[in-house]
Amino acid sequence: MNRKEMWKRIEAHSQPWDMIVVGGGATGVGVAIDAASRGYDVLLLEQSDFGKGTSSRSTKLAHGGVRYLEQGDLGLVMEALKERGLLLQNAPHLVHDLAFVVPNYDWWEAPFYGLGLKLYQLLAGKYGFGVSRMLSREETLERLPTLKTEGLRGGAVYYDGQFDDARLLIHMVATAHENGAILLNYVEVTGLTKDAQGFVDGVNARDDETGQEFHAAAKVVVNGTGAFSDRLRQRAEPAATPMIAPSQGIHLVFDSAFLAGESAIMVPHTSDGRVLFAIPWHGHTLVGTTDTPIPAATLEPVAQEEEIDFILASAGQYLAKAPTRKDVLSVFAGVRPLVRAANVASTAVLSRDHVVHIDRSGLVSVMGGKWTTYRHMAEDCVDQAATLAQLPERACVTQDLRIHGFHTAAGEFGSLSVYGTDAVAIRKLIATDATLADTLHPALPYVKAQVVWAVRHEMARTVEDVLARRTRALFLNARAALEMASTVADLMASELVWDGMVKAKQLAAFRSVASNYCLGQ
Ligand SMILES: Cc1cc2nc3c(=O)[nH]c(=O)nc-3n(C[C@H](O)[C@H](O)[C@H](O)COP(=O)(O)OP(=O)(O)OC[C@H]3O[C@@H](n4cnc5c(N)ncnc54)[C@H](O)[C@@H]3O)c2cc1C
């Protein structure tokens, strides 16, 4: 993937595109993969970096959603369980199964959760992960040695999938590109153009790096802008009724010592009625999340103090050593692109199902859903968009489409396992220059070669792209990421030929963003 090459292909493209997709998160990139692999001619434009929005800020679970089972949404759970299985099948280098323990403190919890989790396992059918079962008190503590023991009766274990969201997304961008799509980051769609009948027939866009503005024509435009969907819809029709109810969720990241062992904790009911997860992730402990309605989405949402206090207090109820503010290595927030419903009091009960909505202007918006179900959302959206645009009928092929880097034993690459087959090429890079094996910070496993790789092959354009999404340094340990920033900037400067001023600007921009991930004492 190379931005210059992508630009050349756009400039040489004189016909209208079959489809232009706006938004480079899981939804938009999923649509680009689906449409390109059917043989359609696709352009995707992302205003910031791929995954800058919600798609890098999730709990990182490929799951059916135990909670939706309790809400009686069997259809959604079954669909998500199937997609969870397909994700593992098509991206085994990035998705793996993980044991979740539901600790029991009341007598009724064992039969209640035991039965529910059995049903969850059965609903997965042939896409099942591990077998769920009841655990004695001793077995529970064997799996979760740092769980609070007071009043503990036992537990239930079940299995779900875990993944690295931003890395999966970058591999999906590569997959879309390998199937013929052109995808550009740092290009904002500033407007939609219409034909004489008032149907959307293209986009106006601006390259953030050069300021260059351009128009691209399309047979159909797909709005995959997540929590920003209404903004784009209203660019086509200012009077369009808003459909998104944005809701913020945050996570806190701690040292791995807070959650010893290899299992996660799942608390089905916190004091606000939500699910709380404490999960081992990349050698750290990830705890979340909240569900706070917000007036409008922003690209860099900030955790609210009440949300931080809530997660700390809830984690303290279950962990033997209650974490405090000074233990927080990183805090990050994301915005759920939930679809509004009438007569619903809380965003926590809004459906996580997706909606494909076609406005009178012919703009196709695909909204809501979950990371886990991106493939199914894309299939549904492309079916409808292709019919609307009268594209030649072609069947969806993504059920068995391997994601870039596919490797069934990527564990052998150690800390490079998330790259799958690309790990071989990164090792070759290191073989040409041994200094590229140097780690960037003693607290994290990242090496210099990953920065060079990200710039040369993954379209990383800023220090933040490398530290937040090509590696996950900012999400794991914000202070370490800040300390790594100048080495990263030096490496990027020599790859991208930045002068001193550009480098200083890059570092200042990163420090400003990173300050949101550090918690004051
Ligand atoms: C706290 C939290 C935890 C979650 N946990 C999970 C989980 O564990 N498992 C799961 O399955 N799901 C989870 N989800 C849901 C999942 O993360 C989202 O459903 C998914 O990431 C949404 O992806 P998206 O592509 O629709 O939106 P986004 O990722 O936000 O992408 C939209 C993109 O559109 C771009 N854009 C906007 N306007 C324009 C424009 N004019 N021009 C160009 N680009 C534009 C934005 O920059 C953005 O990158 C979670 C969500 C939250 C908030």
Side-chain angles (χ1 to χ4, degrees), residues 405-432:
F406 178 95
H407 196 293
T408 50
E412 73 190 50
F413 301 123
S415 63
L416 296 180
S417 63
V418 287
Y419 292 88
T421 52
D422 283 348
V424 177
I426 298 176
R427 283 182 174 174
K428 274 193 189 145
L429 198 61
I430 293 172
T432 64

Side-chain angles (χ1 to χ4, degrees), residues 363-418:
L363 176 69
V364 179
S365 298
V366 49
M367 296 172 284
K370 297 165 12 128
W371 229 122
T372 311
T373 54
Y374 85 84
R375 193 211 61 82
H376 178 68
M377 291 166 68
E379 178 176 354
D380 196 3
C381 173
V382 174
D383 281 347
Q384 298 195 44
T387 306
L388 181 75
Q390 297 178 326
L391 301 178
E393 204 176 311
R394 291 179 188 145
C396 170
V397 297
T398 54
Q399 283 224 13
D400 299 311
L401 187 74
R402 291 179 171 182
I403 298 297
H404 174 86
F406 178 95
H407 196 293
T408 50
E412 73 190 50
F413 301 123
S415 63
L416 296 180
S417 63
V418 287

Side-chain angles (χ1 to χ4, degrees), residues 17-22 27-28 30-32 34-36 38 40-43 199-200 218-224 354-359 361-367 376-394 396:
W17 298 83
D18 285 337
M19 190 179 294
I20 291 181
V21 184
V22 190
T27 305
V31 169
D34 186 299
R38 292 190 202 206
Y40 300 136
D41 188 24
V42 181
L43 171 66
F199 284 110
V200 169
K219 294 176 189 159
V220 62
V221 176
V222 170
N223 174 8
H354 71 271
V355 168
V356 177
H357 175 84
I358 304 176
D359 277 303
S361 63
L363 176 69
V364 179
S365 298
V366 49
M367 296 172 284
H376 178 68
M377 291 166 68
E379 178 176 354
D380 196 3
C381 173
V382 174
D383 281 347
Q384 298 195 44
T387 306
L388 181 75
Q390 297 178 326
L391 301 178
E393 204 176 311
R394 291 179 188 145
C396 170

Side-chain angles (χ1 to χ4, degrees), residues 451 463 484-495 498 503 507:
V451 182
V463 169
M484 291 152 74
S486 65
T487 313
V488 169
D490 286 344
L491 288 161
M492 293 186 78
S494 72
E495 288 293 316
W498 289 346
K503 203 165 87 178
L507 279 171

Side-chain angles (χ1 to χ4, degrees), residues 90 147 194 208 241 247 251 326 341 373 380 384 398 454 488 499:
N90 296 329
L147 186 68
K194 292 183 183 171
D208 193 42
T241 310
S247 150
H251 293 87
K326 71 174 175 31
T373 54
D380 196 3
Q384 298 195 44
T398 54
V488 169
D499 61 22

Side-chain angles (χ1 to χ4, degrees), residues 75-383:
L76 178 63
V77 175
M78 283 176 76
E79 177 204 316
L81 285 171
K82 175 182 171 191
E83 293 302 323
R84 180 191 73 167
L86 292 177
L87 258 173
L88 180 66
Q89 171 195 294
N90 296 329
H93 53 308
L94 283 155
V95 183
H96 62 96
D97 63 353
L98 181 67
F100 287 75
V101 175
V102 182
N104 299 160
Y105 292 90
D106 262 317
W107 68 267
W108 58 267
E109 288 178 314
F112 183 73
Y113 294 124
L115 220 68
L117 294 172
K118 207 30 134 191
L119 175 63
Y120 186 69
Q121 177 201 322
L122 292 175
L123 285 176
K126 68 173 180 168
Y127 297 105
F129 280 28
V131 176
S132 79
R133 66 178 185 90
M134 303 308 303
L135 299 176
S136 66
R137 186 177 192 276
E138 290 65 37
E139 285 173 319
T140 304
L141 288 171
E142 238 167 68
R143 283 177 178 271
L144 299 172
T146 49
L147 186 68
K148 215 171 207 171
T149 52
E150 213 180 304
L152 181 73
R153 288 168 167 263
V157 63
Y158 73 98
Y159 294 82
D160 247 327
Q162 182 185 38
F163 67 117
D164 180 330
D165 48 9
R167 279 235 58 91
L168 175 58
L169 187 71
I170 295 303
H171 287 243
M172 285 164 52
V173 172
T175 309
H177 184 50
E178 282 158 6
N179 279 277
I182 297 299
L183 306 94
L184 273 179
N185 51 2
Y186 295 101
V187 175
E188 183 188 0
V189 169
T190 51
L192 296 159
T193 56
K194 292 183 183 171
D195 65 13
Q197 281 77 43
F199 284 110
V200 169
D201 67 357
V203 304
N204 289 326
R206 185 182 50 236
D207 182 357
D208 193 42
E209 295 196 347
T210 59
Q212 188 191 330
E213 307 209 349
F214 67 99
H215 174 257
K219 294 176 189 159
V220 62
V221 176
V222 170
N223 174 8
T225 60
F228 302 93
S229 295
D230 287 331
R231 211 174 289 175
L232 194 69
R233 289 180 56 234
Q234 285 169 348
R235 278 185 180 154
E237 283 176 54
T241 310
M243 294 182 69
I244 294 287
S247 150
Q248 172 164 302
I250 74 149
H251 293 87
L252 302 182
V253 179
F254 304 101
D255 189 89
S256 61
F258 283 92
L259 182 67
E262 281 165 17
S263 302
I265 304 177
M266 193 275 225
V267 177
H269 286 282
T270 55
S271 58
D272 77 342
R274 276 197 57 77
V275 171
L276 183 84
F277 290 105
I279 306 174
W281 188 59
H282 287 330
H284 291 70
T285 301
L286 178 70
V287 184
T289 176
T290 51
D291 202 327
T292 312
I294 52 169
T298 56
L299 256 190
E300 195 53 68
V302 178
Q304 299 175 8
E305 282 301 315
E306 307 85 76
E307 294 180 290
I308 295 166
D309 291 343
F310 174 77
I311 299 285
L312 284 174
S314 303
Q317 283 175 18
Y318 295 91
L319 298 176
K321 181 172 181 267
T324 64
R325 289 180 77 90
K326 71 174 175 31
D327 298 312
V328 176
L329 298 176
S330 179
V331 49
F332 61 90
V335 184
R336 292 180 190 81
L338 300 177
V339 178
R340 285 173 193 241
N343 307 322
V344 164
S346 147
T347 47
V349 296
L350 277 181
S351 172
R352 268 50 177 171
D353 220 343
H354 71 271
V355 168
V356 177
H357 175 84
I358 304 176
D359 277 303
R360 269 184 314 205
S361 63
L363 176 69
V364 179
S365 298
V366 49
M367 296 172 284
K370 297 165 12 128
W371 229 122
T372 311
T373 54
Y374 85 84
R375 193 211 61 82
H376 178 68
M377 291 166 68
E379 178 176 354
D380 196 3
C381 173
V382 174
D383 281 347

